Amino acid sequence: MAQNNKILNHGRETYAVYYGDWFVMKRPLPTLGDAARAKWLEKQHRTQSIIEEISAIGNPVYNIPRMIFINDDEYQILEQRARGYPLTPDLYANLSPRQKFEINNAIASFLVDMNELKPASDIVRHRIALDFKFSRLDSFVENKMSNWFTAAEVRYMSDIKDRVGKFEYETRKVWSHCDLNSGNILYNPESNQLSFIDFAEADYRFIYRDIVSAITTELNIYRHIYQLYVHLHNKSLYPMLGPKNERLNEIMKYRVMVIWLKRFIKASDDLRINPTGEKSVKNNLEKVAFMRQQIKNFQDLERRYSK
């Protein structure tokens, strides 16, 4: 197990000072001040507690790498290293049907275990526009989008915006991971094991958020995950809509839209009305192409759910 002293990867506030075959040691970024480092340490203790709670379930169909220790004096944490590769669409597409089923089962089992770990809230009406920066979408579509897109594209996105802004549904809050993307789910092809990492954002969220998440949408497995979830979860704790329920179709459609709208908004933030220089012009072209792909995704999604 050889030590590597290079900063191999880092996030907004954490970097790895050691990578071994089985362990990773991390510290807060050197640029953080005393208050930020104290907050970082508090977050690590909270994350460690969350990891211990979900690990205690001991479900063998997925893996939760443990946080071995936290050194408060040195601002260090030692974690088990998750074996494998990020669960990307390319990786998933090349797996066998059996491997795909086992991955789907592991994801659904993990979601059930997380959601049932703590009591669920009562049912409330939730406006889906609250799940993202809707005001930024509204401002862009109404005031800026016509600088780069056709009138038809602006009208279409204005309609999407209006419908998403009005959509509400009955749901409840459950204990959730809250950050399920390909970087936080690692697949080890040697053991066929799925590992879930990065529990720093875990909190109570509305139940469909993790089921129709970035990763399940990218892999186009969210409906299958939902079916497995309904089969696995403890029905005495809270009821779930049937897989063929029309209201469920609406909820899933708009939840997928929210994921894509977040990316649409993020890309729009990088657009420049008067780009200066070749790099800015190229950036605009790339962002507009990406956003047009999102518009196509919306259209394809609506066609799929209109059948």
Side-chain angles (χ1 to χ4, degrees):
M1 186 166 65
Q3 182 169 346
N4 188 334
N5 290 319
K6 294 181 180 179
I7 300 178
L8 295 181
N9 78 23
H10 64 85
R12 287 170 293 186
E13 56 186 25
T14 303
Y15 73 97
V17 294
Y18 172 88
Y19 265 92
D21 291 337
W22 300 102
F23 299 99
V24 182
M25 181 171 285
K26 298 178 181 178
R27 298 193 69 189
L29 291 174
T31 53
L32 297 185
D34 290 343
R37 290 203 300 167
K39 190 175 181 180
W40 178 89
L41 202 58
E42 181 182 349
K43 181 185 287 187
Q44 305 315 310
H45 280 287
R46 177 182 181 274
T47 301
Q48 184 183 45
S49 175
I50 293 167
I51 290 172
E52 291 303 314
E53 288 177 336
I54 188 66
S55 296
I57 293 175
N59 196 324
V61 303
Y62 59 81
N63 177 51
I64 307 292
R66 309 291 286 273
M67 189 180 291
I68 307 302
F69 70 75
I70 302 175
N71 186 330
D72 290 39
D73 295 331
E74 299 294 332
Y75 294 93
Q76 292 177 338
I77 58 174
L78 184 69
E79 299 177 332
Q80 288 181 329
R81 183 174 179 180
R83 312 291 290 180
Y85 306 94
L87 186 61
T88 62
D90 285 344
L91 186 155
Y92 186 83
N94 290 309
L95 298 177
S96 69
R98 180 63 188 176
Q99 288 172 315
K100 289 178 180 178
F101 172 80
E102 290 177 356
I103 284 175
N104 295 348
N105 185 58
I107 292 174
S109 298
F110 169 75
L111 293 178
V112 169
D113 288 345
M114 279 294 292
N115 293 169
E116 295 182 357
L117 192 58
K118 299 185 180 185
S121 75
D122 293 333
I123 289 180
V124 298
R125 284 197 68 79
H126 173 56
R127 187 157 61 92
I128 205 166
L130 297 175
D131 287 355
F132 67 108
K133 297 174 181 176
F134 183 80
S135 62
R136 279 166 55 186
L137 174 68
D138 187 32
S139 177
F140 175 76
V141 172
E142 298 303 322
N143 303 314
K144 297 180 180 179
M145 189 174 171
S146 59
N147 288 295
W148 301 279
F149 295 86
T150 68
E153 289 169 330
V154 175
R155 284 195 301 271
Y156 179 75
M157 285 306 300
S158 183
D159 178 60
I160 290 288
K161 170 184 67 69
D162 290 344
R163 285 188 282 132
V164 169
K166 296 173 183 175
F167 183 71
E168 296 182 353
Y169 62 101
E170 290 187 342
T171 184
R172 65 184 78 234
K173 286 187 176 181
V174 290
W175 189 241
S176 305
H177 182 281
C178 299
D179 194 17
L180 289 177
N181 58 67
S182 61
N184 290 335
I185 305 180
L186 304 181
Y187 176 69
N188 185 352
E190 296 178 4
S191 62
N192 205 34
Q193 184 180 63
L194 210 62
S195 295
F196 294 87
I197 64 173
D198 197 353
F199 288 78
E201 303 299 321
D203 207 338
Y204 273 95
R205 291 291 186 273
F206 291 112
I207 194 165
Y208 295 96
R209 174 177 169 145
D210 276 4
I211 296 173
V212 188
S213 61
I215 184 65
T216 61
T217 300
E218 287 170 2
L219 302 183
N220 195 25
I221 59 173
Y222 55 90
R223 292 198 68 88
H224 190 197
I225 295 299
Y226 186 85
Q227 292 169 356
L228 290 169
Y229 184 105
V230 170
H231 174 71
L232 292 168
H233 102 100
N234 184 347
K235 297 169 183 59
S236 67
L237 295 178
Y238 48 84
M240 299 288 289
L241 295 173
K244 295 183 179 180
N245 188 290
E246 284 301 316
R247 190 56 174 167
L248 175 67
N249 288 338
E250 261 196 313
I251 292 170
M252 287 190 166
K253 181 178 76 172
Y254 282 104
R255 287 239 57 97
V256 172
M257 282 186 176
V258 166
I259 292 168
W260 289 340
L261 283 171
K262 287 180 180 179
R263 297 172 182 177
F264 188 88
I265 294 168
K266 186 175 181 180
S268 74
D269 289 341
D270 291 335
L271 290 174
R272 298 295 176 263
I273 293 177
N274 297 305
T276 58
E278 183 180 344
K279 186 175 180 180
S280 293
V281 171
K282 182 180 178 183
N283 177 73
N284 269 13
L285 291 173
E286 290 175 349
K287 297 305 182 205
V288 168
F290 173 80
M291 294 166 75
R292 280 209 165 96
Q293 180 59 52
Q294 299 308 303
I295 292 174
K296 183 179 182 301
N297 288 342
F298 292 134
Q299 294 168 336
D300 291 344
L301 181 73
E302 292 201 284
R303 280 193 290 269
R304 188 190 318 162
Y305 277 95
S306 67
K307 295 178 181 178

